[in-house]
Amino acid sequence: MGLLQTLAGPLAPHIESLPTWLVIITAFVSLLTLTITINVADQILTRRSDEPPVVFHLLPWIGSTVTYGIDPYAFFFKCRAKYGDVFTFVLLGKKTTVCLGTKGNDFILNAKLKDVNAEEIYHPLTTPVFGKDVVYDCPNSKLMEQKKFVKFGLTTSAFRSYVTLIAEETRQFFSRDAPSKRFASTSGTVNLPPTLAELTIYTASRSLQGKEVRERFDSGFADLYHDLDGGFVPINFKLGWMPLPHNRRRDRAQKKMAQTYMDIMTERRKEGNLEREEDMIWNLMNCEYKNGTPVPDKEVAHMMIALLMAGQHSSSATITWILLRLATRPEIQDELLEEQRQVLGTKADGSIADMTYEDLARLPLHNSVVKETLRLHTPIHSVMRVVKNPLPVEGTPYTIPTSHVLLASPGVTSRVAEHFPDPMLWEPHRWDETPAEEHAHLAPSHVKEGVVEEKEDYGYGLISKGAASPYLPFGAGRHRCIGEQFAYLQLQTILATVVRDLRFQNVEGVEGVVGTDYSSLFSRPLSPAVVRWERREKK
Ligand code: HEM
């Protein structure tokens, strides 16, 4: 009662005669007031001029977690207006320093390995999902080797086969006689997020993951995937280790899924190389680390899970945004179709000719639609690193201490008028002047004229450092995405295939697109996001 009495403040003399609930509430309010006062005083009195300003917040530990979590971009822009490009906010008890602008992106994404670390921050979330000894559950040098293996598997001849497989899978998915019967009629409405998540996983599994994985999606694998995906939630950065029901389901699914990949490998070895397809399992089964050790089956399985998870969310969110945006601009759908007619030509029956991998680079508007969508709807809004050495920020009096986490948000630079006039307008034609060779390698960057693009090899081939670019949806530096080319191929092929058969428009009374759901790890369109579809007349 002593502590309660103290906290009950003015009510203390009468505490014995008051109902317990009133005493508890009064004590709670007093404690909260005291905590807020101490926290606010601490921010005012202990402000250090050699560290970035701290975003004002009332509650310790919670800090700005809620405002950041609801809409990270709104939060970043508001803080930028008040504090400049470099500021610190409290995210679940952790001082997190945000560095915005092209300089901020470069400072974090191209920082030296000895100074910043990705695995310490990502590991608690990713290791239980991917499995041990891969990606963030191994030294960085091993991750660089694993990225090299994946990159080497993404050959031109593999890409050629993927375009055919993805186009076929997409055609079937939207056909009248697809098993789902979703598109059995000539027009209707469809909730795009869950529908396109399904299509994305079918197309990725049929191509990159291999035919056995695709077959298993028709029988049980989808449930395993779903349970595993349940472990990919932001709260698991902190509670990934806890035996909560969703984590138990995740762990069971991870074991079964890894075993499925290992069974596929055993089966393939038994059968020999007959009918060998150019998928990633075959490629990884034949890779060797620098020290001469072949990649163990378990690691191949875990890498395959990592690729499945890394690609699924980002690509599925992107293709959904693409179709949502196109539904607001039917004339762009007609332009896309016309581009295909002009570039690919028509068959004897009047339908557009089949598309090859090489054709993708000859469809600049298709490329621009993907590129523009990734500019406004980049799926990864925050890229984080742990600080390992005190880091002076050039051009400022600040040094970031090792107790902080660093956060880069390249999505901010791609939303500012300085780099992109009328930045919040979705306009694929803003990329019309993009040089042809950028479409050719399907891996666009956006570097100002006259700026020499710096390249570096971190152990998985030469890549652009992207330091000067305000457009970095695939990141930069040693942790840069290795799935960019595959993602472009997948997204462009789905886009080209679907606009041939269907036309989309907003349902009556709806304008623009739905808002963004930032509650999961990857930002994605809020669901439901329903649009009208209509089958095009076959010519
Ligand atoms: C890393 C974006 C598709 C595999 C990254 C990063 C970004 C990104 C921004 C850097 C994260 C960081 O620095 O911490 C995207 C986008 C995609 C996409 C926007 C699609 C639209 C894919 C696909 C795959 C993939 C299809 C696999 C086939 C990876 C892997 C990493 C990564 C393995 C980790 C690299 C590392 O930490 O070194 N991605 N990604 N991504 N991405 Fe992607």
Side-chain angles (χ1 to χ4, degrees):
M1 208 62 174
L3 178 65
L4 273 187
Q5 215 151 16
T6 317
L7 291 171
L11 298 180
H14 317 285
I15 198 160
E16 304 294 343
S17 57
L18 292 171
T20 319
W21 63 266
L22 185 61
V23 176
I24 291 175
I25 288 181
T26 314
F28 175 74
V29 171
S30 305
L31 189 62
L32 192 65
T33 314
L34 187 69
T35 310
I36 291 174
T37 312
I38 294 173
N39 186 44
V40 170
D42 181 53
Q43 287 170 69
I44 295 167
L45 301 175
T46 63
R47 161 95 175 89
R48 293 183 55 155
S49 56
D50 60 345
E51 285 184 16
V54 177
V55 176
F56 180 78
H57 56 282
L58 294 177
L59 293 170
W61 203 83
I62 301 275
S64 311
T65 307
V66 178
T67 355
Y68 163 74
I70 292 173
D71 186 342
Y73 289 118
F75 174 70
F76 292 148
F77 277 107
K78 201 168 154 208
C79 294
R80 182 175 177 250
K82 192 162 175 195
Y83 306 102
D85 274 344
V86 185
F87 53 88
T88 298
F89 74 102
V90 175
L91 175 63
L92 297 178
K94 196 75 199 167
K95 281 195 171 165
T96 305
T97 298
V98 182
C99 301
L100 300 175
T102 49
K103 277 192 186 152
N105 293 339
D106 185 40
F107 176 68
I108 296 178
L109 302 177
N110 286 315
K112 293 203 170 72
L113 184 59
K114 69 173 179 48
D115 292 332
V116 303
N117 175 294
E119 54 270 28
E120 278 179 36
I121 198 142
Y122 294 146
H123 152 89
L125 178 100
T126 53
T127 303
V129 175
F130 301 164
K132 294 211 135 302
D133 300 321
V134 302
V135 192
Y136 304 120
D137 189 50
C138 58
N140 186 270
S141 55
K142 187 167 174 180
L143 168 60
M144 294 301 115
E145 281 200 72
Q146 292 173 346
K147 287 176 82 168
K148 184 177 70 185
F149 300 152
V150 174
K151 245 186 129 175
F152 285 178
L154 299 171
T155 58
T156 305
S157 78
F159 281 161
R160 283 197 186 115
S161 69
Y162 293 173
V163 169
T164 314
L165 294 169
I166 292 172
E168 185 47 34
E169 195 73 50
T170 308
R171 250 190 312 271
Q172 273 175 22
F173 187 85
F174 287 107
S175 73
R176 284 172 185 275
D177 50 6
S180 74
K181 300 272 174 252
R182 250 190 227 119
F183 300 94
S185 135
T186 49
S187 64
T189 56
V190 58
N191 182 17
L192 286 178
T195 309
L196 294 176
E198 207 179 313
L199 174 66
T200 308
I201 210 155
Y202 290 162
T203 50
S205 56
R206 182 61 193 92
S207 51
L208 193 69
Q209 295 273 326
K211 102 168 173 272
E212 300 95 322
V213 178
R214 171 66 190 91
E215 280 156 12
R216 281 168 171 78
F217 265 105
D218 291 329
S219 58
F221 207 68
D223 295 335
L224 283 185
Y225 170 79
H226 188 259
D227 284 350
L228 194 59
D229 194 37
F232 231 33
V233 283
I235 190 71
N236 271 7
F237 273 118
K238 294 275 177 198
L239 303 181
W241 55 274
M242 261 200 170
L244 300 167
H246 75 278
N247 285 342
R248 278 211 290 268
R249 281 197 296 275
R250 169 202 66 191
D251 295 343
R252 261 197 311 270
Q254 200 285 333
K255 278 201 188 77
K256 280 195 189 161
M257 212 145 159
Q259 191 55 52
T260 308
Y261 282 107
M262 287 194 283
D263 292 346
I264 293 173
M265 285 180 260
T266 311
E267 200 58 33
R268 284 186 177 193
R269 279 202 192 91
K270 244 195 267 162
E271 285 175 4
N273 277 4
L274 296 171
E275 285 188 62
R276 180 175 164 155
E277 291 197 15
E278 298 214 52
D279 57 47
M280 194 50 74
I281 303 187
W282 272 125
N283 168 56
L284 294 177
M285 280 168 72
N286 292 292
C287 285
E288 230 178 45
Y289 287 112
K290 270 190 218 136
N291 64 8
T293 324
V295 183
D297 281 5
K298 207 165 196 165
E299 290 183 22
V300 173
H302 295 170
M303 271 191 255
M304 292 305 299
I305 296 177
L307 294 179
L308 184 71
M309 305 304 286
Q312 174 61 19
H313 290 277
S314 33
S315 296
S316 133
T318 308
I319 189 66
T320 308
W321 281 121
I322 290 176
L323 292 193
L324 287 171
R325 286 293 185 175
L326 286 176
T328 68
R329 300 278 303 271
E331 82 283 5
I332 303 257
Q333 299 174 50
D334 296 340
E335 284 181 50
L336 288 167
L337 202 61
E338 192 48 35
E339 180 173 82
Q340 290 189 47
R341 264 199 206 104
Q342 296 293 329
V343 173
L344 308 175
T346 44
K347 296 190 208 166
D349 65 358
S351 63
I352 300 173
D354 291 341
M355 195 173 42
T356 65
Y357 170 59
E358 280 74 13
D359 290 331
L360 293 182
R362 299 164 57 223
L363 298 168
L365 184 58
H366 287 69
N367 190 278
S368 299
V369 165
V370 177
K371 198 167 177 176
E372 177 67 350
T373 306
L374 284 172
R375 184 183 69 80
L376 275 186
H377 301 293
T378 175
I380 299 180
H381 56 72
S382 301
V383 171
M384 298 199 189
R385 304 285 185 261
V386 169
V387 183
K388 301 306 289 179
N389 283 309
L391 283 179
V393 187
E394 208 188 286
T396 74
Y398 311 138
T399 296
I400 321 288
T402 53
S403 53
H404 288 208
V405 160
L406 284 172
L407 188 155
S409 181
V412 168
T413 34
S414 65
R415 286 166 171 238
V416 294
E418 179 197 334
H419 303 297
F420 300 94
D422 202 355
M424 296 317 287
L425 177 74
W426 183 84
E427 181 44 82
H429 285 297
R430 73 168 73 235
W431 300 96
D432 282 354
E433 302 309 312
T434 308
E437 61 274 15
E438 282 199 14
H439 296 304
H441 63 61
L442 295 171
S445 60
H446 179 79
V447 178
K448 277 191 182 153
E449 229 176 281
V451 175
V452 180
E453 223 182 327
E454 257 186 278
K455 297 208 170 194
E456 187 148 344
D457 187 349
Y458 297 94
Y460 60 97
L462 211 57
I463 56 153
S464 155
K465 283 185 83 176
S469 177
Y471 181 79
L472 296 172
F474 294 95
R478 64 178 56 248
H479 289 285
R480 192 183 199 288
C481 184
I482 32 163
E484 177 178 7
Q485 282 177 296
F486 176 77
Y488 256 84
L489 178 154
Q490 184 185 23
L491 295 167
Q492 274 191 249
T493 308
I494 294 176
L495 170 64
T497 311
V498 74
V499 293
R500 288 178 183 203
D501 290 341
L502 303 181
R503 223 168 178 275
F504 297 91
Q505 65 186 77
N506 270 358
V507 288
E508 239 173 57
V510 172
E511 266 185 44
V513 290
V514 290
T516 305
D517 175 0
Y518 293 108
S519 68
S520 96
L521 213 55
F522 296 84
S523 33
R524 57 187 181 192
L526 280 164
S527 190
V530 178
V531 295
R532 256 197 94 64
W533 63 271
E534 176 184 299
R535 199 164 287 287
R536 284 181 190 271
E537 293 295 317
K538 277 265 178 275
K539 286 214 179 115

